């Protein structure tokens, strides 16, 4: 287990003992990733702020929901954040159906200036891997992950059979895993 | 990699990891995972890929103060049913908020300034050293916390001064302190035998939270009390307004 994962797990265990300083450390380590994902998906800072607060409060109140034997803490944290963002997007679509897919671009001043080189390389690798997927697979994955559409909604949006979308998503994810296996293995082992 | 043909899969583990199932499909898939080791492994692997997607977005910096609000809410909220929060955290949110402000504000902002403004490096490095010394007061077993109480002017205000009695560096943290009157700032006074020395100037955020690194002229053990008053920008030689918060050292 690598050092970052071990530290996260120690901090998560301290949360269960109601150690507020552990929450600050986890916030320090991961708030940027959660905020960046929320901003990308929701498109406005106020909603991203609220999502970050909501996610870390959930972590604080329910640390037992993280099961260390099922994966890394950060993977779980990002999945919690993603699920919350998808909930919000789906509620927005019910309230404002015409806003479908209306995600604002980030302004330059919101981008972290001191992005670590390793993180930037990881991002590039993921984007490169996405770019190698067939257009239909890539688009289906992006609509699912970043816009929060269900497979049925993607099928309706693209005018394709549901079975086609399911296959595209499954194959797209498996191909991504194959292409990024170095990173995935690192995390699985880490 | 051990890829399984699509027709052998039990659940849409990949779609589940992407949150691309509707509520009913998701509930059924999660229930299935509990009973199926194979699907659970596929889901875990797919979640790692999903996490890579999450980390592939342009990185943005959370706004200053967001972490402080997270902690204030975390520790102000009642513990979930069936759990009790130990009394020892009475002041810990303040410590936590201070750590957060320190780490996010000082380490990120200050170190960025250090890089960008080489001519000020020495001054900023000195400040960073001072602030790190203040941070160390919050570590378990270090420093002591003296509670501060709001006066009639600010009855809801609370705070703490973290200090090493032998040292000259402290950390003031307050919450629920109203904004100073227009054109004024808050000034901390260190009180020794009726004489008041300035401990620094500060203001509060929109939620009444403030953190101030205190550099005392003398070791903090020599002071008996502290108080805060609203003063003109730049501060005053002595307090000119009523105390809004204070406490004994």
């Amino acid at each position: 287990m690598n050092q970052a994962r071990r530290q996260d797990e120690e901090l998560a265990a301290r949360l269960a003992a109601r150690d507020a300083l552990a929450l600050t450390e986890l916030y320090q380590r991961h708030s940027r990733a959660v905020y960046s994902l929320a901003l990308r998906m929701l498109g406005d800072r106020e909603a991203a702020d609220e999502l970050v607060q909501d996610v870390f409060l959930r972590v604080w109140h329910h640390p037992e929901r993280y099961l260390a034997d099922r994966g890394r803490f950060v993977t779980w944290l990002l999945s919690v954040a993603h699920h919350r963002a998808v909930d919000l997007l789906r509620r927005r679509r019910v309230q404002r159906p015409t806003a479908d897919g209306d995600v604002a671009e980030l302004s330059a001043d919101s981008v972290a200036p001191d992005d670590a080189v390793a993180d930037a390389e990881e991002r590039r690798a993921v984007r490169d891997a996405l770019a190698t997927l067939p257009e239909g697979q890539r688009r289906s994955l992006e609509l699912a992950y970043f816009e929060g559409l269900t497979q049925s909604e993607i099928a309706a949006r693209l005018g394709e059979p549901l079975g086609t979308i399911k296959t595209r998503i499954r194959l797209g994810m498996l191909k991504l895993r194959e292409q990024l296996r170095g990173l995935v293995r690192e995390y699985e082992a880490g | 990699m051990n890829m399984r043909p699509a027709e052998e899969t039990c659940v849409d583990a990949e779609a589940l990891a992407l949150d691309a199932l509707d509520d009913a499909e998701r509930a059924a898939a999660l229930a299935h995972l509990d009973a199926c080791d194979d699907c659970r492994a596929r889901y875990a692997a797919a979640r790692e890929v999903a996490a890579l997607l999450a980390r592939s977005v342009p990185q943005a910096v959370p706004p200053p103060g967001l972490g402080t609000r997270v902690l204030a809410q975390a520790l102000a909220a009642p513990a979930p049913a069936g759990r009790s929060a130990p009394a020892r955290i009475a002041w810990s949110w303040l410590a936590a908020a201070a750590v957060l402000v320190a780490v996010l504000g000082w380490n990120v902002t200050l170190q960025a300034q250090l890089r960008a403004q080489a001519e000020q490096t020495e001054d900023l490095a000195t400040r960073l050293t001072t602030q790190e010394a203040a941070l160390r007061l919050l570590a378990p077993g270090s420093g002591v916390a003296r509670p501060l109480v709001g006066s009639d002017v600010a009855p809801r205000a609370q705070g703490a001064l973290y200090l090493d009695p032998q040292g000259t560096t402290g950390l003031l943290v307050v919450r629920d302190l109203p904004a100073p009157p227009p054109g004024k700032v808050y000034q901390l006074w260190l009180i020794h035998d009726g004489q008041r020395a300035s401990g620094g100037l500060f203001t509060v955020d929109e939620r009444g939270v403030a953190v101030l690194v205190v550099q005392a002229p003398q070791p903090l053990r020599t002071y008996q009390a502290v108080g805060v008053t609203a003063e003109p920008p730049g501060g005053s030689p002595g307090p000119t307004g009523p105390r809004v918060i204070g406490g004994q050292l």
Side-chain angles (χ1 to χ4, degrees), chain A:
Chain A
M1 184 184 292
N2 70 22
Q3 188 179 10
R5 179 170 181 171
R6 185 168 53 249
Q7 287 172 344
D8 275 351
E9 292 190 1
E10 288 169 1
L11 290 167
R14 284 167 53 192
L15 285 184
R18 316 306 292 152
D19 182 339
L21 292 178
L23 183 62
T24 71
E25 290 184 45
L26 287 168
Y27 181 93
Q28 181 203 348
R29 293 163 74 89
H30 301 303
S31 60
R32 177 178 291 189
V34 173
Y35 181 74
S36 301
L37 177 64
L39 196 54
R40 167 68 178 81
M41 293 179 69
L42 303 174
D44 75 88
R45 289 177 176 73
E46 189 176 346
D49 283 11
E50 287 177 9
L51 188 136
V52 169
Q53 293 184 60
D54 181 57
V55 167
F56 280 93
L57 287 175
R58 282 167 186 260
V59 168
W60 171 247
H61 288 306
H62 299 287
E64 76 284 357
R65 290 183 185 171
Y66 167 59
L67 302 174
D69 60 348
R70 291 198 181 180
R72 293 180 306 147
F73 176 83
V74 66
T75 299
W76 173 75
L77 182 73
L78 288 169
S79 74
V80 171
H82 184 262
H83 191 63
R84 291 294 299 145
V86 166
D87 274 352
L88 287 172
L89 288 172
R90 290 180 184 171
R91 253 182 276 152
R92 276 186 193 175
R93 279 199 289 275
V94 170
Q95 292 161 358
R96 291 186 294 145
T98 55
D100 219 12
D102 178 19
V103 175
E105 290 295 319
L106 301 182
S107 65
D109 67 357
S110 68
V111 176
D114 56 346
D115 203 4
V117 171
D119 289 347
E121 287 176 356
E122 179 182 291
R123 264 191 291 289
R124 194 174 308 116
V126 176
R127 288 173 185 164
D128 288 350
L130 269 173
T132 65
L133 296 182
E135 171 66 16
Q137 289 179 15
R138 184 186 59 76
R139 187 69 184 135
S140 297
L141 288 184
E142 289 176 343
L143 287 171
Y145 193 73
F146 292 117
E147 296 193 28
L149 299 187
T150 64
Q151 296 183 114
S152 302
E153 290 169 329
I154 296 168
R157 170 84 70 94
L158 299 181
E160 302 275 5
L162 176 60
T164 301
I165 300 304
K166 287 185 175 184
T167 301
R168 284 180 183 171
I169 283 183
R170 186 178 300 116
L171 290 179
M173 286 290 280
L174 292 174
K175 283 182 186 170
L176 274 187
R177 187 184 176 200
E178 177 67 24
Q179 295 212 35
L180 298 170
R181 62 181 182 274
L183 290 173
V184 175
R185 274 186 191 152
E186 178 185 321
Y187 292 142
E188 286 173 343

Side-chain angles (χ1 to χ4, degrees), chain B residues 14 27 40 58 87 98 110 124-125 131 134 160 168 184 193 195 198-199 205 207 220 222 226 249:
Chain B
E14 291 77 21
R40 202 159 53 240
L110 196 54
L124 290 172
Q131 289 159 350
T168 57
K184 296 284 184 75
D193 290 344
Q195 301 295 310
S198 177
D205 70 11
R207 295 175 190 248
L220 285 158
T222 62
V226 295
L249 299 186

